[in-house]
Structures are given as structure tokens and as C-alpha cells.
Amino acid sequence: MIKSRGIRHIAVLLGLILMAQMAFPAYAEISADQTENADIDITEEISLETGTITARVVCVSSLDSSETPLAGVGLSLYRVASAAVSDGTIQYIPVDVLSGYEKFFNEDFSSDDVANTASEIVSQTDLSSCLVSVLTTAENGSVEFEGLSAGIYLIDQTGALDGYVSTTPYLIKLPEIEENDLFWDYDLMLTTQETTGTAEEWDLSKAGTLTVNAGYVSTGTDRTPVVGVEFTVYQVATVTLSGGNVYYVAVDALKTYESQMNSATTTDSYSELAAELAAVIAGDDTLAGQLKIGTQESGSDGNAVFESMMSGMYLVVQTNTVSGYQAISPFLACLPMTSEDGSGWDYNIQALPKLGKTSTGGGSSSSGGHSSGGSGGSSSGSGSGGPGSGSSSGNPADTGSPSGDLYEIVTDSPLSPLLPQTGLRRSIVSFLAIGGIFFITLGWKLGGSKQ
């Protein structure tokens, strides 16, 4: 009896321990960015083990967000850094052409930055010397890169696929580290959307018009023109076209913002970028003079018209105060945008920022970006979409309205490049749960059978 009772108690105790491990897992000192892993001996595994990166390309519907696998998409994989172990810590050694990214690879690598940095690397660096393989997606939209040694890899679409925006480049660390384990199988989903125009049809020599309408919207969609609002426009980037893709080239003084210009996909990200650019320009009179396109005041119809505008990205700033209205926050406008029927490009763009009324009747100035009183702006053509990654997205009008309804968006079917989405990783949680239940049940059974 004593022996049976002891076995029962041991079984129940094991079950409780496993359940406790599930609720309170013990973590070794391994950071999520895979740079601190002194609690496990990984030297041999890093040297000998190989892994697999599975990439799946899907088209996300702009109407219902459904996903359709895409076949025939070429994907190139580059090994941009090797891996070595020193004192139990993985160190990443960039290839020669990317030596300047050593700090990023080892210290700053995070999911928030990998897409921006990958786009920056692809646009500025010849990676042919570190090409691993080029594969084409099958009917299920997937490819598998196998036999990969430890390191950092960059995956990028090879060539354009007719009718679709090019996917965003992405950086991957192999292996991943989770819950004290190294995982050598990485699943990645690359998303795209249908285009409504092609970069090849974009005429860089054609000039266009930017019309900024200053209006107050009290209810519904009716706009009341506001006269005398002064807008100044600065060109912050030009455009280059390559392989069916559109890339914004920042002016020399704003080169540090070039990656943000090409990777921003939301209203908030464009607003933050506009605020940063406005602050830089406001603090440098010489730079402001170099980038200034012109200054116009809104007329009786609320319009301030800027003509002879070439393809590029522009910063629009309100440069006066109007009694009774709060200032509009700086915003970005891109020329051209896709036409309404998606058959080409519209070079005559209209921006519809909203003015907010002041509670005291006096004018107030916004500090830039979105504020509770000021309003943001949005640019749009007569149709949908705009330039960006690929050829149909990439301007503030393409991404909907921020909280507070600061923008009026007139595009019908917004398009924007979507970042890759990583798949779920393996976990021991299910094992702990099942094991705990098993041992507790076993202990209970033993006790019941004895009785």
C-alpha cells in the first residue's frame, strides 16, 4: 500500500511540475534577436547543422483580404552574413560589400527594421557575389531553399510579375532561437497586391500639377473652402525606375530618410516621415531654399495650385496662420498616381487636407505630424493607387484615414506594399500540457484502483 501510494504521489507531482513548466517556462539568457545565448553550447551545431527557408508568395485582395498563392514568382536568396560562435555567443560577419552593417546584424536586428534595411541594401548594393540560389514559386506559391548554413539571408523578388506589385525584400537569421532551442526551418510569407498600372508606362519627362485644397469639413463630406491658406512645397525625392519597380531617390541632404521614403506603407508612417522632414528643412534656411518649389495661397475655391511638377515625392507645409483655423500638419504628396481606370498614370493630383477650427477663434500652429488640433493631408489622383514598391502604391493617400479622421481619402481601392509575415514556430507548450495531464490522470487512477 505504501509503495502504491508513493507511485501515485510521484505521478501527480510529475504532472504538476510539467504543468508549472508550461505556465512559467524557464528561459536561458537568450535574446530574441539571437545575439545572447551563453547558456547553451551551440558551437558544434552552428558549424555542422543546415536548415531550410520556405517562402510563400500570396496576393492579398484589397477587397476582402483573401490570399491567393502566386506561381511563377522568381525569388533570389543571398547569404549576406556568415555566423560564428565566440564564448557561447553567435557573431555575424557581413560579406565585404556590407561591412557597414555589422553593428546592425549583431546588435540592432529586429522585426521592425529588417524590411527597411533589406530594401536599403537591395537598392544600394550589388549582391551578386553572395547569391545562393534563384527559385521560382510552384502552384502553391512556395519555394524551399535547402541546405543552408548558419548566417543571415536576404530574400528578394527577381524581376517583376505582370499585374502584381513586387514583394518587399526581407532579412532572415538562420537558425532562429526560441525557448533555448535552435530552429533551422524558417517559414516566410511574402505578400503582394494587384497593380493598376505599370512602371514602364511612367513618363519621367512629363510634368504634372499638384492642387492643394484648403477646406473645412463640419459634417459629412461637404467641404467649405478656406481662403488665404499659404502652402509651400519642397521636393524631397526624385524617382528612378528599374525592372518594373519604382524607387524614390532622396535629395543628398535627406539621404538618411531614403529607406523610410520607400518602405512607408501607412498613414501614420508617412505622417511621421513628413514631420521629420519638415523639422529638418525648417532648421536649415539654405536647404529650404534649395528644395523649395514654390509658395501659393488658397483662393476663393480653396485651391492652391502648383504647376510644372515633375515625378517625385513632395513635402507640403502650411506656412501661415489663418484666423479661426488650426494649421495643417505637414504631409507628403507623390506624383504621378494611377488613373481611375487603372490603365495608366494621372499627373494632375489633388490633395484634400482638412482644417480644424480653433475654439478661441485665433489661429494656431501644428508642430508637425498628427496633433489633436491640427489636421493631416492626403494626396490623391482621380483614381486609386499610387507609386511605391512596384508601381501602384506608396503615397499617403493609399492607406486610409488615421484616428481622428484627420484625412479625407478619395481613392477607391487603396493599395500598398505589404511586409512579409513570418510563420509560427514550433513550441513545447503542447507537450508540457499533454504530459502534465497524463501524469495527473495516472496518479488519480492509481489512487482510485487502490481504493
Side-chain angles (χ1 to χ4, degrees):
M1 177 177 179
I2 294 175
K3 182 177 181 181
S4 176
R5 182 180 299 173
I7 294 174
R8 180 186 65 183
H9 289 170
I10 291 172
V12 173
L13 180 61
L14 285 172
L16 292 174
I17 290 174
L18 287 174
M19 296 295 284
Q21 285 290 329
M22 179 183 71
F24 305 102
Y27 292 99
E29 295 180 1
I30 302 176
S31 66
D33 63 3
Q34 307 175 18
T35 59
E36 298 175 7
N37 40 21
D39 285 3
I40 56 176
D41 183 9
I42 57 176
T43 303
E44 184 174 354
E45 184 169 353
I46 289 296
S47 301
L48 301 178
E49 187 69 49
T50 60
T52 300
I53 294 176
T54 301
R56 183 168 177 260
V57 181
V58 299
C59 175
V60 179
S61 170
S62 60
L63 299 178
D64 58 12
S65 298
S66 61
E67 299 173 357
T68 303
L70 293 182
V73 181
L75 296 176
S76 296
L77 186 71
Y78 304 89
R79 190 177 186 225
V80 295
S82 57
V85 178
S86 175
D87 296 328
T89 299
I90 299 179
Q91 297 292 326
Y92 296 97
I93 303 94
V95 295
D96 291 342
V97 292
L98 297 176
S99 58
Y101 289 88
E102 183 171 4
K103 181 178 182 295
F104 175 81
F105 287 163
N106 287 284
E107 300 178 19
D108 304 328
F109 199 95
S110 71
S111 59
D112 294 333
D113 297 326
V114 291
N116 291 349
T117 303
S119 296
E120 179 181 285
I121 290 174
V122 168
S123 66
Q124 299 178 3
T125 310
D126 180 5
L127 298 176
S128 58
S129 61
C130 52
L131 178 65
V132 174
S133 180
V134 179
L135 298 177
T136 302
T137 57
E139 291 299 321
N140 63 356
S142 296
V143 296
E144 285 190 358
F145 297 95
E146 300 176 314
L148 304 176
S149 301
I152 297 179
Y153 292 85
L154 186 149
I155 190 167
D156 185 32
Q157 182 173 333
T158 302
L161 184 65
D162 289 343
Y164 297 93
V165 177
S166 293
T167 58
T168 304
Y170 203 69
L171 287 166
I172 301 164
K173 278 188 175 181
L174 195 71
E176 283 195 304
I177 295 179
E178 284 188 10
E179 299 176 354
N180 305 346
D181 290 323
L182 300 179
F183 294 99
W184 291 87
D185 296 322
Y186 193 103
D187 298 322
L188 176 71
M189 185 167 72
L190 300 168
T191 57
T192 183
Q193 290 179 317
E194 291 182 321
T195 62
T196 53
T198 63
E200 287 76 8
E201 298 170 352
W202 193 331
D203 186 356
L204 291 176
S205 64
K206 186 174 181 178
T209 300
L210 172 62
T211 300
V212 183
N213 181 270
Y216 169 70
V217 180
S218 55
T219 59
T221 58
D222 294 335
R223 294 176 65 88
T224 302
V226 179
V227 180
V229 181
E230 182 180 274
F231 295 101
T232 299
V233 173
Y234 304 91
Q235 183 168 10
V236 295
T238 57
V239 171
T240 183
L241 309 176
S242 177
N245 292 324
V246 175
Y247 189 81
Y248 291 103
V249 181
V251 297
D252 290 342
L254 302 175
K255 277 293 182 184
T256 55
Y257 298 96
E258 188 166 286
S259 177
Q260 289 175 258
M261 293 177 181
N262 288 282
S263 60
T265 59
T266 66
T267 300
D268 286 345
S269 60
Y270 271 105
S271 297
E272 291 170 4
L273 176 58
E276 292 179 30
L277 295 174
V280 172
I281 292 173
D284 189 333
D285 292 340
T286 301
L287 178 62
Q290 294 171 347
L291 303 184
K292 182 178 177 180
I293 298 299
T295 298
Q296 299 287 345
E297 279 194 2
S298 58
S300 58
D301 56 359
N303 289 335
V305 182
F306 298 85
E307 299 179 330
S308 301
M309 305 277 285
M310 305 305 295
S311 295
M313 182 179 289
Y314 295 87
L315 176 69
V316 182
V317 180
Q318 181 178 339
T319 47
N320 72 339
T321 57
V322 178
S323 179
Y325 295 95
Q326 296 170 329
I328 296 168
S329 298
F331 64 94
L332 292 167
C334 301
L335 275 76
M337 291 180 60
T338 50
S339 58
E340 184 173 6
D341 61 5
S343 62
W345 295 97
D346 190 342
Y347 295 83
N348 297 309
I349 308 303
Q350 185 179 40
L352 304 175
K354 298 179 184 179
L355 281 81
K357 284 190 174 181
T358 60
S359 58
T360 59
S364 65
S365 177
S366 168
S367 61
H370 291 309
S371 63
S372 58
S375 297
S378 67
S379 62
S380 67
S382 58
S384 63
S389 175
S391 57
S392 63
S393 59
N395 64 66
D398 293 340
T399 52
S401 300
S403 60
D405 193 27
L406 302 181
Y407 287 75
E408 178 175 353
I409 307 299
V410 297
T411 53
D412 296 325
S413 56
L415 296 171
S416 61
L418 303 178
L419 298 182
Q421 301 174 8
T422 57
L424 296 176
R425 298 282 160 254
R426 293 171 288 179
S427 174
I428 63 171
V429 172
S430 58
F431 169 77
L432 293 173
I434 294 171
I437 294 171
F438 171 77
F439 282 110
I440 291 175
T441 303
L442 177 62
W444 179 80
K445 287 287 188 181
L446 287 172
S449 62
K450 182 62 182 176
Q451 293 174 4

